[in-house]
Amino acid sequence: MPPLALANRVTQVTPSMTLAISAKAKVMKADGLPVCSFSAGEPDFDTPDHIKAAAKAALDQGKTRYGPAAGEPALRQAIANKLQTDNDLCYGPENIIVTNGGKHSLYGLIMALIEPGDEVIIPAPYWVSYPEMVTLAGGIPVIVPTTADQGYRITPEQLRQAITPKTKLFVLNSPSNPTGMVYAPEEIKALADVVVKADIWVVSDEIYEKILYDGATHLSIGAVSPAAFEHTIISNGFAKAYSMTGWRVGYLAGPAELIKAVSTLQSHSTSNVCTFAQYGAIAALEGPQDCVATMGQAFAERRQAIIQRCRSIPGLSCGAPQGAFYLYVDIQPVGLSSLDFCTQLLDEHYVATIPGSAFGSEGTIRISYATDMETILAGMDRLEAFVKDRLG
């Protein structure tokens, strides 16, 4: 066997810590251990019946063959309609590519847009894959720290100061993974003003747009003005709002030239997204939306319970997430690194959480409440016991 010399690009990135911890928790559970998993960003609900029925019907109709690399025309049109109706974004099907999940839409974008040396501004805490994708493309992740005091939101002044002649892209995620924060409309407008004046691109990751609480509203940055629209790229998908994580259907919306470039890349990597799954996605967009509201109500109830429980534990503190299904917890008084905290909590009390270091924010952990109330209450009891043990 010849020496195995891996490409240097592989050594520059790290595996997803969220997936690694989730996998470890699943193995422990399979071994019979009573694991309470707060690690994965995955709704515990089954995919709604009308979506599954549409995919089954597509199978029965023989929708099992190769399709266009950019996606089924009917789904691209449905996505364009959705973006116009829900987000006030004027895209046509030529501005849409269907991808293998929302993550793949972002990967395709980065590979098509970012060249070696290009800078990409990423507010921290950030979703774990943003900087890794930029690094794989030879770009430079420019991490801008935010704090709990500022609601984990990047300010227009922070964004302005981070921009250099090498800046090509700003990554915006609202509602946020991992913090659950949501930018208010006036904050989105202020950030859009900076983007337009600097003449840079912004990609808005809107995968959690339909999961909101306490009257929070989602404004897509591209809807702020015609000028903002011309600087905006949209990433979204079906995993969170419709509990379709395993279906792997996402999409990217942007200028036709960009979408064509991403489609070319996709044609040489994955080709089309699973054909019959795309018909399920059409049903998700065009069918009844009460399933979204039902799941949202369950998330709201769990959110309230987990906030109250967390705030009752001495040594821990948290804000109230306005969207998504994550609680971002400050653990600094406990005196452990976030990785040590999560590792010991899982090994000793069988509770899986994600260290803030994975999101570029030490001294914190992320707790996903996309699980049933029984698991939430049991897991928080164990978390309290763990913290009390450490604080004496």
Side-chain angles (χ1 to χ4, degrees), residues 19 25 37 96 111 132-133 141 175 202 206 252 262 265 307 319 345 355:
L19 295 181
S37 183
I96 310 294
M111 292 301 146
E132 306 294 354
M133 291 178 183
V202 55
E206 303 184 355
L252 194 73
V262 176
L265 292 177
I307 289 173
L345 178 62

Side-chain angles (χ1 to χ4, degrees), residues 167-254:
T167 302
K168 195 165 190 179
L169 179 68
F170 165 47
V171 180
L172 179 65
N173 178 213
S174 176
S176 163
N177 175 10
T179 67
M181 69 79 189
V182 177
Y183 286 91
E186 59 270 21
E187 294 171 323
I188 292 291
K189 292 174 183 177
L191 292 172
D193 184 59
V194 177
V195 166
V196 170
K197 288 181 178 178
D199 198 22
I200 62 173
W201 289 101
V202 55
V203 58
S204 184
D205 182 350
E206 303 184 355
I207 192 74
Y208 295 97
E209 65 165 329
K210 293 184 179 294
I211 305 174
L212 299 165
Y213 313 105
D214 294 344
T217 58
H218 170 75
L219 174 64
S220 181
I221 193 168
V224 167
S225 67
F229 179 77
E230 291 178 356
H231 289 77
T232 297
I233 304 159
I234 302 294
S235 170
N236 207 328
F238 298 83
K240 314 300 182 178
Y242 298 100
S243 196
M244 294 172 65
T245 51
W247 292 61
R248 309 315 301 140
V249 186
Y251 58 88
L252 194 73

Side-chain angles (χ1 to χ4, degrees), residues 331-342 344-345 362-364 386 390:
I331 61 164
Q332 293 181 75
V334 181
L336 295 173
S337 72
S338 60
L339 180 57
D340 286 344
F341 186 103
C342 292
Q344 294 175 27
L345 178 62
E362 188 50 79
T364 56
F386 174 79
R390 294 309 183 276

